[in-house]
Amino acid sequence: MEVIWYLVLFSFILRTSTLKIITPGQSIKDGETLISVGESFELGFFSPGSSKSRYVGIWYKNIPSRTVVWVANREAPIFDHSGVLSFGNQGILTLLNSTKTVVWSSNTSRTAQYPVLQLLESGNLVAKDRNDNNPQNFFWQSFDYPCDNFLPGMKLGKDLVTGFERYISSWKSADDPAQGQYSLRIDPHGFPQLVARKGSQVVFRLGSWNGLYFSHRKPNTKPSPLYSYQFVLDKNEVYYKCELQNSSVISRYAMNPSGLMQRFLWNERKQEWEIFSTAQTDQCTVYGFCGAYASCNPDRSSPCACLEGFVHKSPTSGDWNSIDWSDGCIRRTPLACDSGDSFLKHTRLELPDTSKSWANKSMSFKECEELCLRNCSCTAYANLDIREGTGCLLWFNELIDMTEFTEDGQDLYIRLAKSELDQLQRKMKSKEKRKAVVIAISIIIATGMMVTMVLLYKRKKNLSNEGKHKEKMELPLFDFATIVNATDNFSTSNKLGQGGFGHVYKGMLKEGKEIAVKRLSKDSGQGLDEFKNEVTLIVKLQHRNLVKLFGFCIKGDERMLIYEYLPNKSLDYFIFDKTRNKLLDWHRRMHVIDGIARGLLYLHHDSRLRIIHRDLKASNILLDNSMNPKISDFGLARKFGGDQTEDKTRRVVGTYGYMSPEYAFHGCFSMKSDVFSFGVLVLEIITGKRSRGYSDHDHNLLGHAWRLWIEERPLELIENTLGDSYIITEVLRCIHVALLCVQQRPEDRPNMSSVLLMLGGESTLPQPNQPGYFIEKNLPSGKQSSSLNEFTITIEAR
Ligand SMILES: *[C@@H]1O[C@H](CO)[C@@H](O)[C@H](O)[C@H]1NC(C)=O
Ligand SMILES: *[C@@H]1O[C@H](CO)[C@@H](O)[C@H](O)[C@H]1NC(C)=O
Ligand SMILES: *[C@@H]1O[C@H](CO)[C@@H](O)[C@H](O)[C@H]1NC(C)=O
Ligand SMILES: *[C@@H]1O[C@H](CO)[C@@H](O)[C@H](O)[C@H]1NC(C)=O
Ligand SMILES: *[C@@H]1O[C@H](CO)[C@@H](O)[C@H](O)[C@H]1NC(C)=O
């Protein structure tokens, strides 16, 4: 038995310089490697990034771009290729440099009769007894000393008896694996929570465990079925661990040198890491962004708001954007304590910081409330475990770091003075009464409307179609007279512009509110279907980079949409104009690009529906007072079901110059066709030139950009008026991302979440392939127009 074992080992050594198991006395020199039992991982010497220093690390064996998940001597590099990692008789690993000095060593107190060193299939390097595979008995393992990667099977947490802690820490930089500024650990204080710090400062909270998951920031990041999660809290230890449910999936969680935390999945087909989720997404994920007793909602134009019963600490001038929210809010009415307080229920919140909280697993909900009420310094309470609504979690300090969710989130009961609560309830009741009245009126109007519409239908179409058009419209209906008044009977002086589907007018309601009225031309392509499509879609969308719909109006065969009025017109009004383009310096343009990307990301991924816009272009990007971009015109948008990613149509509608080749020629549209249009838009923003109508010998704008890119002169794309206002690396990154977006093959184009990360400089950029040239000459049919007006057109696909 023993003999055979050594024979196998021996033949293995002869064949190759890679080993699968190491026994005392053996060593690994620079250039040799140890591979895991099933050949998933490999250990050896490497130099990170552009560094020349040598480190011992573990990486995925079968992933071509070397992804290092663990480093032994992260603080103590070796400066030449003479390093040797040897395994001693005591089962201790030591790393020696050329002067035979120990630069790093493993540390064990236990040892065994037959110690061996092995790299397990999980990526865990272990020193153990040859015959003992029980993880409890490993006498040393690399999983106890994580670096920047959190792999399935690793533990994150603290041994409460010995104080030993396992935590994630970032690299200093891509070239230096030494411990950087950022760390992710379970903070055992109060009720344990996962916390990211920069130095000693908390910068981000993944929150506390609620029985199912960490009360994480982002909605719709429910636990993924890809993983099983474990959170253990008892008097001996607290830890968190996740395991992959499917062993053929390769996944890791990593913290990069700038503290960004992301989960990656390996895409075998594309041979690249795909970002599965990102922890930090908006300002609401910044710890305590809104200060005490305030909640943060990234979809509000001003994300912070005081909780009910609280007021802003520093008095304001009414300009909510200029407020420094770090002050937070204070009680409007001081607590009365023993003489009468009560609790106001808040729903769909991420629970506040629990670092000073107190918890009891077995307490009932009622007991929890009573306990909190009894203690004057208790500010709030909540369920500990949302699975069965059990347990008790109490707060004794200021409540800080709460995000509002549109779905998910938890209930939190916040202490208020009884008098304050009564006042709030009275207000709410009267609001409800008002609402009831409004609803009653709406019902009457809606019924009237329905009757009118049914009559209309009867006249126009057969009754057979009637049923399928019944859609709920939860929107204010404006009466025709109001709109005629507001727009001065659609006077020419109020005309804002003209689109493929009709005219847009500015209007002013009696109470002084400005509106934009989109009056659909009667002979336009947009029929009642498209109209209803637009209304029902936008009603469900709320995002600061999408234009807001106030309501609609129907009179006879007149149909109108009432939008918020944006004083700064649309993006094309600025970027393509020789004088107005100076108003958009690089900083503003970057802001616009970023905003459009966020709006589009919301449409594609984050809203409850999956929406393909299909007609993204400069004239559909409106600008508000502060030049924030808002995507408009959803007349062509298509809603996709949960898993659907692609659709085909015979009726290709869109705009020349922005359409992806697969859409223009074959009628295939998907999120990737919007990504294409986004890429075109970014190039237009950088160059100040229209994609359509740009002519340079045989090239269109995309071809021009591509030529300069491969000739390594991309900076020549930048518009002259930008002067020195731009940051070269930022512009280059934008050009690079734009070229990735307009690649010929839809599957090569990034999705919008990758685009945002790339724009933020948080992701490495692959080389783009040739763009999908789309020149009007190639159009299969349809009229060709020499005018520069960017009308949305309709062509029949082949
Ligand atoms: C080996 O390591 C020791 C301790 O870190 C250091 O002082 C010495 O200079 C190193 N030798 C070489 C050749 O790098
Ligand atoms: C090894 O661990 C012991 C206690 O666990 C500690 O006192 C000692 O300093 C450690 N040695 C090294 C080299 O880390
Ligand atoms: C596991 O993942 C692979 C690759 O993603 C997939 O083909 C397979 O169907 C998955 N198996 C299960 C049981 O989900
Ligand atoms: C937790 O609550 C239970 C039930 O009310 C009680 O019996 C127990 O003593 C409490 N534990 C602590 C530590 O307060
Ligand atoms: C209220 O709770 C705090 C924090 O747990 C505690 O220090 C204090 O003794 C409690 N007061 C009373 C009256 O129970």
Side-chain angles (χ1 to χ4, degrees):
M1 175 70 197
E2 190 83 55
V3 174
I4 294 173
W5 194 73
Y6 275 109
L7 268 180
V8 169
L9 192 62
F10 192 54
S11 64
F12 197 69
I13 294 166
L14 278 185
R15 216 175 29 154
T16 159
S17 61
T18 52
L19 302 168
K20 281 200 175 170
I21 194 160
I22 294 207
T23 51
Q26 283 188 311
S27 57
I28 300 171
K29 294 198 199 63
D30 197 336
E32 298 173 339
T33 60
L34 170 71
I35 56 178
S36 65
V37 191
E39 311 204 345
S40 291
F41 285 92
E42 186 168 28
L43 173 140
F45 288 79
F46 75 102
S47 297
S50 55
S51 162
K52 295 245 163 26
S53 304
R54 303 297 285 170
Y55 294 88
V56 170
I58 296 174
W59 54 84
Y60 294 89
K61 183 169 186 300
N62 303 313
I63 287 178
S65 57
R66 180 179 288 165
T67 310
V68 175
V69 293
W70 183 78
V71 184
N73 54 325
R74 65 188 301 194
E75 306 289 344
I78 294 176
F79 301 105
D80 55 22
H81 288 250
S82 63
V84 177
L85 183 69
S86 57
F87 191 52
N89 286 328
Q90 303 302 312
I92 289 178
L93 258 181
T94 48
L95 180 61
L96 307 172
N97 67 9
S98 58
T99 48
K100 300 279 174 268
T101 318
V102 174
V103 297
W104 174 86
S105 82
S106 69
N107 188 0
T108 45
S109 46
R110 280 181 298 149
T111 185
Q113 198 172 3
Y114 303 109
V116 290
L117 182 72
Q118 253 188 333
L119 186 52
L120 304 184
E121 267 305 271
S122 57
N124 193 5
L125 179 69
V126 301
K128 65 183 189 80
D129 190 278
R130 172 154 45 89
N131 301 316
D132 189 349
N133 284 321
N134 182 353
Q136 300 284 323
N137 299 333
F138 293 164
F139 39 84
W140 183 87
Q141 54 181 326
S142 63
F143 270 18
D144 281 344
Y145 306 91
C147 296
D148 61 340
N149 271 266
F150 185 57
L151 298 178
M154 266 187 181
K155 274 183 182 179
L156 198 63
K158 194 164 186 174
D159 185 321
L160 299 174
V161 180
T162 64
F164 182 75
E165 192 183 1
R166 301 175 183 90
Y167 64 94
I168 306 296
S169 55
S170 69
W171 286 20
K172 267 210 171 99
S173 72
D175 299 333
D176 186 356
Q179 183 163 339
Q181 289 181 298
Y182 292 90
S183 67
L184 177 68
R185 41 178 103 205
I186 290 189
D187 177 3
H189 295 102
F191 186 63
Q193 50 182 351
L194 250 181
V195 160
R197 288 192 179 85
K198 180 181 185 185
S200 58
Q201 197 106 30
V202 174
V203 290
F204 178 81
R205 235 163 36 89
L206 278 139
S208 52
W209 189 257
N210 63 20
L212 285 177
Y213 50 90
F214 286 100
S215 60
H216 196 287
R217 288 293 180 169
K218 239 186 123 186
N220 65 43
T221 44
K222 285 213 186 94
S224 158
L226 269 180
Y227 311 92
S228 68
Y229 303 85
Q230 199 184 359
F231 178 76
V232 170
L233 171 62
D234 56 32
K235 58 180 193 306
N236 296 322
E237 58 183 346
V238 49
Y239 71 80
Y240 166 64
K241 186 170 151 176
C242 75
E243 302 270 10
L244 274 170
Q245 296 292 76
N246 182 340
S247 59
S248 50
V249 172
I250 300 177
S251 157
R252 64 195 175 91
Y253 194 80
M255 185 179 221
N256 81 1
S258 38
L260 191 72
M261 291 177 291
Q262 292 176 312
R263 192 183 284 288
F264 296 90
L265 280 184
W266 177 250
N267 185 325
E268 185 63 39
R269 196 172 49 79
K270 288 200 214 154
Q271 290 285 297
E272 67 183 26
W273 287 107
E274 247 168 30
I275 296 159
F276 183 75
S277 64
T278 303
Q280 301 98 324
T281 45
D282 48 59
Q283 63 268 65
C284 289
T285 60
V286 174
Y287 176 77
F289 182 74
C290 294
Y293 299 114
S295 69
C296 195
N297 182 342
D299 290 340
R300 278 195 293 248
S301 59
S302 158
C304 296
C306 291
L307 296 173
E308 298 257 28
F310 294 83
V311 291
H312 200 266
K313 197 165 176 181
S314 352
T316 68
S317 56
D319 178 7
W320 294 95
N321 287 317
S322 64
I323 295 174
D324 175 9
W325 275 95
S326 56
D327 279 356
C329 306
I330 49 172
R331 290 182 190 283
R332 185 161 35 213
T333 316
L335 289 178
C337 211
D338 296 334
S339 46
D341 288 338
S342 199
F343 295 96
L344 180 65
K345 179 178 174 177
H346 289 253
T347 52
R348 292 196 297 274
L349 271 187
E350 184 211 21
L351 297 184
D353 190 344
T354 57
S355 59
K356 294 195 179 71
S357 291
W358 177 92
N360 182 327
K361 265 190 223 176
S362 47
M363 209 169 251
S364 76
F365 197 57
K366 192 85 200 118
E367 286 174 300
C368 190
E369 175 173 7
E370 279 163 7
L371 185 63
C372 189
L373 197 58
R374 270 205 305 275
N375 188 326
C376 260
S377 48
C378 178
T379 47
Y381 70 94
N383 268 324
L384 190 59
D385 190 327
I386 62 167
R387 283 173 300 185
E388 282 157 26
T390 54
C392 179
L393 189 54
L394 301 180
W395 281 262
F396 292 98
N397 51 333
E398 287 192 324
L399 306 174
I400 192 164
D401 202 34
M402 288 163 276
T403 300
E404 267 177 39
F405 295 122
T406 44
E407 38 196 306
D408 299 334
Q410 281 173 250
D411 296 343
L412 179 70
Y413 297 81
I414 296 176
R415 187 187 204 112
L416 290 178
K418 192 107 191 12
S419 58
E420 178 69 42
L421 197 70
D422 291 343
Q423 206 180 327
L424 281 174
Q425 273 160 354
R426 265 200 304 278
K427 232 194 266 166
M428 268 182 242
K429 268 205 197 107
S430 70
K431 225 190 234 168
E432 261 160 37
K433 245 186 237 159
R434 236 179 297 151
K435 221 186 192 172
V437 172
V438 171
I439 290 173
I441 293 174
S442 315
I443 290 174
I444 295 168
I445 294 175
T447 320
M449 275 256 326
M450 284 271 245
V451 171
T452 324
M453 271 163 79
V454 169
L455 288 178
L456 260 169
Y457 269 118
K458 271 188 186 166
R459 222 180 300 159
K460 269 190 159 174
K461 285 187 182 178
N462 286 338
L463 263 169
S464 59
N465 267 340
E466 177 200 340
K468 89 174 189 227
H469 290 289
K470 270 187 203 154
E471 285 245 28
K472 233 195 267 157
M473 295 213 190
E474 302 155 336
L475 258 192
L477 174 72
F478 287 78
D479 69 35
F480 189 64
T482 307
I483 301 302
V484 167
N485 255 333
T487 58
D488 202 3
N489 197 13
F490 303 105
S491 74
T492 334
S493 59
N494 275 332
K495 201 160 129 183
L496 291 172
Q498 181 168 14
F501 291 130
H503 301 286
V504 184
Y505 298 87
K506 184 184 169 179
M508 170 94 76
L509 296 177
K510 271 217 193 73
E511 63 265 31
K513 187 151 119 184
E514 290 180 312
I515 53 173
V517 179
K518 182 171 160 192
R519 187 188 199 186
L520 307 170
S521 55
K522 289 166 206 164
D523 54 350
S524 77
Q526 180 155 13
L528 193 63
D529 281 346
E530 272 121 342
F531 177 68
K532 295 182 100 187
N533 185 18
E534 178 155 9
V535 174
T536 44
L537 271 184
I538 316 177
V539 170
K540 294 176 185 152
L541 302 178
Q542 289 257 355
H543 189 272
R544 61 179 175 277
N545 295 115
L546 301 183
V547 73
K548 225 181 253 141
L549 183 65
F550 288 149
F552 67 105
C553 171
I554 300 183
K555 168 97 191 295
D557 48 3
E558 282 267 16
R559 290 184 281 276
M560 277 162 276
L561 291 168
I562 322 300
Y563 288 102
E564 68 178 312
Y565 170 70
L566 296 169
N568 273 333
K569 307 209 171 167
S570 51
L571 185 58
D572 58 334
Y573 181 76
F574 288 92
I575 54 175
F576 302 137
D577 184 276
K578 283 205 175 59
T579 42
R580 287 190 287 264
N581 63 6
K582 297 195 184 68
L583 297 171
L584 278 182
D585 60 9
W586 174 249
H587 175 71
R588 288 213 174 88
R589 288 186 201 211
M590 190 67 212
H591 180 68
V592 167
I593 291 172
D594 189 64
I596 301 169
R598 282 174 198 279
L600 211 48
L601 175 68
Y602 173 81
L603 288 178
H604 287 179
H605 298 284
D606 292 343
S607 72
R608 280 176 298 152
L609 314 155
R610 170 171 292 174
I611 288 159
I612 314 298
H613 187 282
R614 293 210 294 166
D615 199 16
L616 197 66
K617 56 180 170 183
S619 56
N620 279 344
I621 306 297
L622 305 183
L623 297 167
D624 75 2
N625 261 330
S626 334
M627 290 293 195
N628 293 311
K630 303 205 179 230
I631 301 175
S632 75
D633 215 332
F634 298 84
L636 303 178
R638 283 292 184 92
K639 176 171 69 175
F640 276 10
D643 301 329
Q644 191 184 6
T645 57
E646 202 184 291
D647 200 355
K648 217 176 143 125
T649 178
R650 270 187 58 75
R651 224 177 127 230
V652 174
V653 276
T655 301
Y656 286 142
Y658 292 94
M659 273 191 263
S660 64
E662 77 275 6
Y663 181 46
F665 293 128
H666 307 294
C668 291
F669 61 91
S670 64
M671 289 182 281
K672 295 298 180 70
S673 38
D674 274 356
V675 169
F676 185 95
S677 312
F678 173 78
V680 174
L681 199 45
V682 171
L683 286 176
E684 289 186 332
I685 293 171
I686 292 167
T687 58
K689 299 203 172 63
R690 288 177 197 270
S691 160
R692 177 157 184 269
Y694 176 85
S695 138
D696 160 58
H697 314 296
D698 293 331
H699 293 288
N700 60 8
L701 180 59
L702 298 191
H704 177 62
W706 177 244
R707 199 189 62 205
L708 290 179
W709 178 259
I710 51 179
E711 288 171 6
E712 300 189 343
R713 317 183 276 150
L715 289 176
E716 288 173 33
L717 275 173
I718 302 168
E719 184 172 14
N720 290 335
T721 48
L722 282 177
D724 296 331
S725 77
Y726 60 86
I727 301 159
I728 288 181
T729 52
E730 254 178 34
V731 184
L732 281 178
R733 207 183 309 129
C734 282
I735 295 173
H736 195 155
V737 171
L739 285 171
L740 289 170
C741 291
V742 298
Q743 291 177 101
Q744 171 84 32
R745 286 152 44 94
E747 56 270 34
D748 291 344
R749 297 172 207 149
N751 59 25
M752 286 314 294
S753 54
S754 313
V755 166
L756 258 169
L757 288 168
M758 290 173 178
L759 288 174
E762 301 291 9
S763 175
T764 52
L765 307 183
Q767 273 306 313
N769 298 316
Q770 185 166 333
Y773 287 122
F774 176 62
I775 315 174
E776 283 168 56
K777 279 178 237 158
N778 298 346
L779 262 183
S781 70
K783 288 158 268 165
Q784 288 182 23
S785 146
S786 58
S787 119
L788 284 184
N789 290 336
E790 299 190 307
F791 283 163
T792 299
I793 52 115
T794 304
I795 51 179
E796 292 288 316
R798 285 191 288 216

